[in-house]
Amino acid sequence: EPEVTQTPSHQVTQMGQEVILRCVPISNHLYFYWYRQILGQKVEFLVSFYNNEISEKSEIFDDQFSVERPDGSNFTLKIRSTKLEDSAMYFCASSDYRAGDTEAFFGQGTRLTVV
Amino acid sequence: AQSVTQPDIHITVSEGASLELRCNYSYGATPYLFWYVQSPGQGLQLLLKYFSGDTLVQGIKGFEAEFKRSQSSFNLRKPSVHWSDAAEYFCAVGNNAGNMLTFGGGTRLMVKP
């Protein structure tokens, strides 16, 4: 069964460092998303991406965040200068909007720890 | 703005007992509703979804949910819980066919032998 793959599963970084979280969406999907879940809190939408541009973003997704689809398979989330409060589980998801009856398939997440 | 409330943070049931997890949503139009399950160390797995049509939807692992517009609810049910159902369950509402999901706070289910 096709699945969304995220790497690494766990990343530790120092405050102020840049970090890139990587995702391989399901191959025929067109919409891509990032969500995050701070420990003990709700899963929160960050951004959606379609046709090589951001289609929607939340207020959390400020200038320190960026997304990119550098090639035909990867979808990345970059955090330019990490803060302690960026520590969270980050989920990538993808969906086939063309199906008209869509659902988002989630990866297993990357746990980011900022120290 | 859309929102989702899951009133029960923790629920404990005995194996074999029935289960109902509550979900209330706020959304201005016809909602797209989802239930996801997250086992420890795992990602979010879709249990079922409601987009339109029959208000009682069947999902995987023997789960079902009923959309009640008058009550703004989408409660998840299972007639007989198995120990492997212990996990965290998230209700979510989507805009525009699910392209931006708003999640509830989750309900952690524990199953007693």
Side-chain angles (χ1 to χ4, degrees):
Chain A
E1 185 177 327
E3 60 180 18
V4 176
T5 306
Q6 291 185 243
T7 54
S9 56
H10 190 187
Q11 180 150 1
V12 181
T13 189
Q14 291 211 324
M15 190 169 54
Q17 294 297 304
E18 175 183 285
V19 66
I20 297 176
L21 309 182
R22 303 181 189 280
C23 170
V24 179
I26 294 173
S27 62
N28 62 340
H29 283 184
L30 300 178
Y31 272 81
F32 314 112
Y33 316 87
W34 284 101
Y35 289 79
R36 79 172 185 190
Q37 183 182 28
I38 295 172
L39 188 64
Q41 298 187 24
K42 293 184 179 186
V43 177
E44 302 172 291
F45 169 80
L46 292 178
V47 65
S48 62
F49 190 85
Y50 170 71
N51 199 25
N52 284 319
E53 59 183 26
I54 291 172
S55 52
E56 288 188 83
K57 62 181 181 179
S58 71
E59 59 187 24
I60 303 168
F61 194 86
D62 62 21
D63 290 345
Q64 72 160 340
F65 291 95
S66 63
V67 289
E68 191 178 31
R69 189 154 163 81
D71 53 41
S73 60
N74 290 284
F75 179 53
T76 61
L77 174 69
K78 182 192 290 185
I79 309 175
R80 285 192 186 82
S81 178
T82 50
K83 305 174 192 153
L84 295 176
E85 54 264 37
D86 294 327
S87 295
M89 179 75 88
Y90 288 80
F91 292 105
C92 175
S94 69
S95 67
D96 181 0
Y97 185 70
R98 290 181 305 176
D101 180 16
T102 60
E103 61 191 74
F105 291 82
F106 284 78
Q108 294 196 334
T110 293
R111 180 166 298 285
L112 176 66
T113 303
V114 182
V115 297
Chain B
Q2 58 201 58
S3 66
V4 178
T5 302
Q6 293 180 246
D8 305 304
I9 298 174
H10 292 102
I11 282 185
T12 300
V13 299
S14 298
E15 189 167 18
S18 64
L19 171 71
E20 182 168 24
L21 302 183
R22 296 183 291 166
C23 171
N24 294 99
Y25 68 89
S26 173
Y27 187 67
T30 299
Y32 297 90
L33 295 161
F34 307 81
W35 275 99
Y36 283 87
V37 61
Q38 184 182 29
S39 298
Q42 302 296 309
L44 296 163
Q45 181 184 23
L46 181 72
L47 285 176
L48 46 77
K49 63 195 180 204
Y50 172 78
F51 286 173
S52 63
D54 193 345
T55 56
L56 183 64
V57 293
Q58 303 296 320
I60 62 170
K61 304 183 181 186
F63 286 92
E64 66 178 27
E66 186 171 12
F67 169 59
K68 293 185 177 179
R69 185 188 298 274
S70 62
Q71 298 176 21
S72 297
S73 69
F74 188 58
N75 294 347
L76 182 71
R77 300 193 294 249
K78 186 169 185 179
S80 177
V81 168
H82 188 261
W83 63 267
S84 60
D85 293 324
E88 185 139 25
Y89 291 80
F90 293 93
C91 181
V93 61
N95 72 334
N96 194 24
N99 288 323
M100 182 180 86
L101 296 176
T102 298
F103 285 83
T107 297
R108 183 166 297 280
L109 173 67
M110 290 177 281
V111 180
K112 292 189 301 186

